[in-house]
Amino acid sequence: MKEIYLDNAATSYPKAPGVAETVSHFLSSIGCNVNRGAYTKAYQTEEVIYETRELLCRLFRFDKPENVVFTKNVTESMNVIIKGLLKSGDHVIVSSMEHNAVMRPLNNLRARNLEVDILECNKEGALSPDQVESLPSLIQANTKAVFMTAASNVCGTMLPLKEIGHFCRMNNIFFIVDSAQTAGFTEMDMNWLNVDALAFTGHKGLLGPQGIGGFLVNKRIEPSIEPLIEGGTGSFSELETQPACMPDKFEAGTLNIPGIFGLNAALKYLFKVGIDKIREQELHLLNLFMTRILEIPSAQLIGKSDLQDRTSIISINFPKHDNAEVSYLLYKEHGIMTRSGLHCAPSGHKTLGTFPHGTVRFSFSHFNTEEEVLKVIDCIWRSLNTL
Ligand SMILES: Cc1ncc(COP(=O)(O)O)c(C=O)c1O
């Protein structure tokens, strides 16, 4: 049975051409550390790492490669930012569509006197202009930051970063964005959006390997974030305290260099193909899927039913069935890989009215084909008839 992978929101597969070969080349032919040894390979490796920071600057229209910090993923980046920035007595605002990568560390700090307010999204997972206008009513004297995902990982709805970013800047509040579901799908301009810190993960839309991600911080926010992890950086070895210079301040310990090499290859692929082309193909597949799924009476589309301001993630509820059973049957009988349940975003599901039963999530990549989409629709019909 030929398998069809539709779980790209969890992690993309296949990865960009050249990623596996580049990681393998690093491990088999280079393999050294950086900032430690004074030999050619170490310098060449440093160049690739710096070039990767520059590629990320190009991706997010940012102008300070030294303020691009590597971590494992968005989860680690958000933990560093949240725990390094927020103090007892601070107040923050989040959207109701946030992933647990943001919700859990924030809720942990609630026990230590952090105040958290939630800006409720509507039934489509969106923030209408009215809801954006309600933001000022949530602001307090101690409001330090707004955290917001660029797009929901449950239903693909994008949030109005431009409006929120403008509001934050006008009110001298930090704006911190989770780009897990939009990086590689849409262009983002940190300066234009007034984003102070942006967290990214390499293994989803960026088409790189797992275990490499990071964050970009501007000059406004960087001095306010204390490092969460301290240790050897290869630099300033005479110091027994963490260096304050960037990116060393946040990059203690040996980096995931094979991962950075893989991400470097993935970013070059994205720029070669063009993010616009990738988005066009994904939305084309989504449109086909959406049109056909609406013909199935027992399938309920969750979130937006148009292509405006959304990614290619789509969630379906099968009210007459157990969503987990539908997802399982699609895999067992037809080799179709989806993800059912709450997708690490219980708050988002509460907003969408799908808590606690969740949905079946289908998430496309530009490597998927029309033929696959049509086969998936056919298999959904057949699976529902056997349940
Ligand atoms: C919106 C969003 N934020 C954060 C994450 C966490 O990403 P990672 O597991 O790479 O840290 C995910 C992953 O599903 C996500 O969809």
Side-chain angles (χ1 to χ4, degrees):
M1 186 186 344
K2 189 172 169 283
E3 294 188 328
I4 301 179
Y5 186 75
L6 293 185
D7 200 12
N8 289 281
T11 197
S12 56
Y13 183 80
K15 300 302 181 188
V19 167
E21 294 78 359
T22 306
V23 173
S24 168
H25 170 69
F26 174 78
L27 290 172
S28 55
S29 308
I30 306 175
C32 61
N33 213 331
V34 286
N35 287 350
R36 277 104 173 143
Y39 35 83
T40 308
K41 277 186 176 177
Y43 293 132
Q44 286 169 345
T45 301
E46 254 165 57
E47 275 168 27
V48 174
I49 294 176
Y50 192 78
E51 183 189 51
T52 312
R53 297 188 206 276
E54 289 179 324
L55 290 168
L56 287 158
C57 282
R58 181 173 160 199
L59 185 71
F60 298 117
R61 311 265 198 286
F62 189 62
D63 56 2
K64 283 179 79 64
E66 66 276 20
N67 278 26
V68 176
V69 174
F70 289 113
T71 65
K72 286 207 300 282
N73 46 38
V74 164
T75 305
E76 186 173 310
S77 298
M78 283 300 186
N79 270 271
V80 171
I81 295 167
I82 288 171
K83 292 170 183 167
L85 174 73
L86 302 175
K87 308 269 179 299
S88 169
D90 283 342
H91 170 246
V92 297
I93 299 169
V94 289
S95 90
S96 65
M97 299 308 289
E98 298 310 304
H99 189 273
N100 274 342
V102 168
M103 289 302 203
R104 286 184 175 173
L106 286 179
N107 282 329
N108 174 306
L109 291 187
R110 270 184 160 159
R112 280 183 261 158
N113 207 20
L114 176 78
E115 287 181 72
V116 181
D117 264 318
I118 295 186
L119 183 60
E120 276 300 328
C121 295
N122 64 23
K123 284 271 173 250
E124 294 189 329
L127 279 175
S128 66
D130 284 355
Q131 286 162 306
V132 175
E133 273 169 29
S134 73
L135 195 50
S137 65
L138 296 179
I139 299 298
Q140 305 176 177
N142 56 345
T143 305
K144 192 173 226 173
V146 172
F147 290 80
M148 194 158 285
T149 186
S152 158
N153 67 313
V154 176
C155 62
T157 303
M158 287 181 178
L159 296 182
L161 300 186
K162 177 70 186 146
E163 287 77 0
I164 305 286
H166 177 73
F167 174 84
C168 288
R169 190 57 58 91
M170 289 296 107
N171 289 278
N172 206 22
I173 294 165
F174 294 127
F175 186 36
I176 298 150
V177 168
D178 169 356
S179 77
Q181 295 297 348
T182 52
F185 175 84
T186 185
E187 307 282 335
M188 286 181 77
D189 183 328
M190 273 183 78
N191 286 328
W192 184 71
L193 293 169
N194 287 313
V195 172
D196 294 299
L198 179 144
F200 67 92
T201 201
H203 68 106
K204 297 184 194 273
L206 295 184
L207 307 178
Q210 287 93 344
I212 185 68
F215 60 90
L216 291 77
V217 271
N218 67 16
K219 280 187 287 189
R220 240 180 119 233
I221 196 169
E222 179 273 306
S224 304
I225 308 176
E226 296 289 325
L228 182 66
I229 297 166
E230 291 160 297
T233 54
S235 59
F236 305 100
S237 286
E238 72 284 6
L239 291 182
E240 289 185 85
T241 53
Q242 192 67 12
C245 70
M246 290 291 288
D248 305 28
K249 176 177 169 185
F250 297 111
E251 285 185 350
T254 296
L255 292 173
N256 174 2
I257 303 175
I260 295 173
F261 270 62
L263 181 61
N264 183 294
L267 290 166
K268 284 179 179 162
Y269 170 82
L270 288 178
F271 288 127
K272 194 168 116 217
V273 174
I275 289 174
D276 285 356
K277 285 253 156 44
I278 289 173
R279 181 173 59 253
E280 208 177 289
Q281 165 70 356
E282 289 188 22
L283 289 178
H284 170 68
L285 297 175
L286 174 76
N287 194 30
L288 181 62
F289 181 89
M290 212 141 78
T291 314
R292 298 299 170 97
I293 200 88
L294 289 171
E295 292 166 0
I296 303 179
S298 57
Q300 183 191 5
L301 193 158
I302 302 300
K304 286 160 65 62
S305 55
D306 58 45
L307 297 186
Q308 204 56 38
D309 297 327
R310 63 168 300 141
T311 68
S312 58
I313 293 174
I314 183 164
S315 251
I316 305 296
N317 182 32
F318 296 95
K320 293 194 188 137
H321 306 283
D322 179 337
N323 287 322
E325 216 179 322
V326 175
S327 175
Y328 175 68
L329 211 61
L330 282 174
Y331 181 63
K332 191 167 144 274
E333 301 293 326
H334 308 287
I336 297 165
M337 289 171 262
T338 62
R339 182 173 170 199
S340 66
L342 296 173
H343 314 98
C344 300
S347 171
H349 276 280
K350 285 175 192 163
T351 300
L352 296 165
T354 46
F355 185 87
H357 52 282
T359 55
V360 183
R361 183 180 72 181
F362 301 80
S363 47
F364 301 95
S365 96
H366 75 294
F367 294 121
N368 290 121
T369 62
E370 280 184 15
E371 194 191 359
E372 286 178 331
V373 171
L374 295 176
K375 180 165 178 216
V376 170
I377 294 288
D378 183 50
C379 295
I380 295 174
W381 277 107
R382 288 204 269 153
S383 297
L384 295 178
N385 285 338
T386 62
L387 277 170

